[in-house]
Amino acid sequence: MSRTTRTRRRLGLTATALLTAFALVPAPAHAEAVTDYEITVDPAGTGAEIDDTMYGVFFEDINRAADGGLYAELVQNRSFEYSTADHSSYTPLTSWTVGGTAQVRNDDGRLNERNRNYLSLDAGSSVTNAGYNTGIRLEKGKRYDFSVWARAAAGTTLTVSLKDAAGELASARQVAAKGGWKKYTATFTASRTSSRGRLTVAAGEAAALDMVSLFPRDTYKNQPNGLRKDLAEKIEALDPAFVRFPGGCLVNTGSMQDYSEASGWQRKRSYQWKDTIGPVEERATNANFWGYNQSYGLGYYEYFRFSEDIGAMPLPVVPALVTGCGQNRATDDEALLKRHIQDTLDLIEFANGPVTSAWGKKRAEMGHPKPFRLTHLAVGNEENLPNEFFARFQKFRAAIEAKYPDITVISNSGPDDTGATFDTAWKLNREANVDMVDEHYYNSPQWFLQNNDRYDSYDRNGPKVFLGEYASQGNAWENALAEAAYMTGLERNADIVKLASYAPLLANEDYVQWRPDMIWFNNHASWGSANYEVQKLFMTNVGDRVVPSSATGTPTVNAPITGAVGLSTWATSAAYDDVKVTAADGTTLLSDDFSGDASKWTHHGTGSWSIQDGAYVQTDAAAENTLVTAGDPAWQDYDLQVKATKKSGKEGFLVAFGVKDTGNYYWWNLGGWNNTSSAVEQAVDGGKSTLISKAGSIETGRTYDIDVKVRGRQVSLYLDGELWGSFTDDKPAEPFRQVVTEDERTGDLIVKVVNAQSSAARTAIDLGGAKAASRARVTTLAAAPEDVNTETDTPVTPVTSTFSGVADRFTYTFPANSVTFLRIQQR
């Protein structure tokens, strides 16, 4: 996922915004809050076939999703490899406390050359590990497997204990260590339950330690080097058709070099699969893009094995040698490119090759002689340099197709749902007859409600779509409702959209870099978000074909855009002057040349604003979202003119219009995304969507003339007197969406209805002559828009029931703010 394109999209949508968006829904004519709709089904019609791969999951190591998360290891920094390269606060002893004398060494006495550090522990000294979150989680009666690699020239007894502040959590174990590096093991049975455990290793004589490990015996499917059971089971319960991994920004950021002496043991590398297989003590370590260390204990072999265990197709993503996520560099080293292409061919052999092949043998040695049956592979992730990316993608594709013609090679369209990068990437993909294109976008709930028809107009003969990352900006029920409404459009266009996965998948509540997320956890519990419940309902009730259907909807949006005006910056210092707002009839609504004070302006955000040399200047080049506003929220049909000059910083400037309040506005973001592109973004209660986007940058020290013309719902934008772009914001945020599919195995018609409004939807359903049983199995998700699932409270929970009134034409009232699936058996 791309950080720079999304840093401004992290706030969830509140109920107020949805009620605003739905203001044009017809008001009920009677006391009950009921809106009338009709659904007409055409069972004899031909709808799209739905592939078995329709819905899956995307696992990226973000929010401590791997170490401290899905990977069941309980010891943090087990091999003393943490570094300032991972996080500025890290040291090799992060998460460790030393009793006595100990030193982390990086010398020829190490365990192996890829595990660079080890701990030298003096006689009578100890080290204690704090684990993750509040500590090491132990459950009474459960068994835990300890291991350590140790070297002790004279021999020593290692005393291993598990305690919390209240005392012992298991009987201590004695481990006799003598001689060169060797792995030692012990098993504990917890005598008490605690989430605040500490693991201590004490040495009677001097010793060297590495790979200090503690695993619960009860891992997912009881596998060694295994997965945390509750998290794996929640993912399995989704019944995903595929698992996309490992990224995300992990794939297309950092150095593309290997981890070796020749490359200087580079720590900030792209995720490269060969680093992550083989014995765990020989796997490389790396700096995770999201600001912590990744041990690679959870590596490609474990990803493949987990995918197989849950019946999902593995879908790996490999580097394309063009960085993204704000880095935006193309590697021109031809030898390095060839090496990565060969690594990709080797990956396919590792997954699918016979045991007689070099990499198939390696897979077998790790415990899996049978092939993993890899069929899809993606090259690259959200590259913002489409031409450079595609030139390299073509070389990957040619090499893969020459040796493995049955593998589907997936390209991508950059980091957003629209704009110059998106358009260029799609043009290149279409012209080259690429099989499948990976699209990513994170938008407001309103955007998802407005764009249900996104794929209706896609070329039916062009590349297919893999929607590899999408989510609205929050984990409240209103966010999940909007996503559910959008998913009905994905299914309706199942001939275009072949795969789709919500992202991100996991988040440790104490280590969050990104939100929203599907499954949340800490060191002792996990819970599915409202979004998880929607994904699970759709994934477990997909169907095999779309049954054509239609429904009545809400009126189109025709009220004019209204609002005040604003100025802002993002990681930039800028000066503004000669602000003028003129009504369509020529009346001056606002005029400010800043020759006096700034009393017409209200400061809402961060930053430091002041009058300097007859201009209004924001001087803090590090501050983000420094919004100041002026005018009347009722203004409509006006021209906004302003002169803007960038003084310093990373980006350009932001000119706002249609400002209702600090969370609801439009702004023209000039020189955004690290000064690589400009766009108009619409904010609805803080959640932003891009309406129009173009590549381009803003020069420091140059004064730009900006003119925004608002007429009704149409906006035209002029930069230095030239038309930069225009848009009409007239798509309704339709709250009532539906799709009907058929399950060929059971014969069920599955009527899926989303009612994302505060009134019930009394709906006449016409089955078009389908011979159906009178009873339907019903699954309903319904809650207040602002409800959020937590560890202790899950208001968004599926409720099952039976409806006995099914007929060729019948009425069903869908609750307010609900997702409802009716499974109707055909006779």
Side-chain angles (χ1 to χ4, degrees), residues 476-478 480-481 484 530 533-534 537 753-757 759-760 778-789 794-800 812-821:
W477 177 232
E478 60 201 357
L481 273 174
E533 295 299 344
V534 161
L537 185 58
V753 177
V754 180
N755 181 30
Q757 60 187 326
S759 59
V778 184
T779 305
T780 304
L781 293 168
E786 66 276 10
D787 281 348
V788 175
N789 284 356
T794 54
V796 181
T797 301
V799 174
T800 58
Y812 190 93
T813 299
F814 297 96
N817 302 306
S818 68
V819 180
T820 306
F821 280 27

Side-chain angles (χ1 to χ4, degrees), residues 536-548:
K536 183 177 178 182
L537 185 58
F538 273 84
M539 286 191 197
T540 54
N541 293 277
V542 181
D544 300 289
R545 75 174 183 98
V546 176
V547 180

Side-chain angles (χ1 to χ4, degrees), residues 336-409:
L336 187 59
L337 176 62
K338 289 181 179 178
R339 192 268 285 176
H340 275 266
I341 291 172
Q342 185 59 51
D343 282 355
T344 302
L345 297 176
D346 292 344
L347 171 61
I348 298 170
E349 182 176 287
F350 177 75
N352 293 350
V355 295
T356 54
S357 66
W359 290 101
K361 180 181 179 182
K362 185 72 172 178
R363 180 194 68 242
E365 289 171 349
M366 293 187 70
H368 201 284
K370 294 193 303 181
F372 283 115
R373 294 186 289 186
L374 175 69
T375 60
H376 291 63
L377 182 144
V379 177
N381 170 76
E382 295 187 4
E383 284 72 24
N384 207 31
L385 301 172
N387 291 296
E388 292 85 343
F389 160 73
F390 203 74
R392 289 154 182 79
F393 170 83
Q394 289 279 61
K395 294 181 179 181
F396 276 87
R397 184 172 73 151
I400 295 168
E401 290 181 345
K403 190 169 184 179
Y404 300 105
D406 294 334
I407 297 290
T408 297
V409 186

Side-chain angles (χ1 to χ4, degrees), residues 141 229 326 421 458 628 706 799 802:
K229 190 173 182 179
T421 296
Y458 271 49
V628 292
I706 296 167
V799 174
T802 300

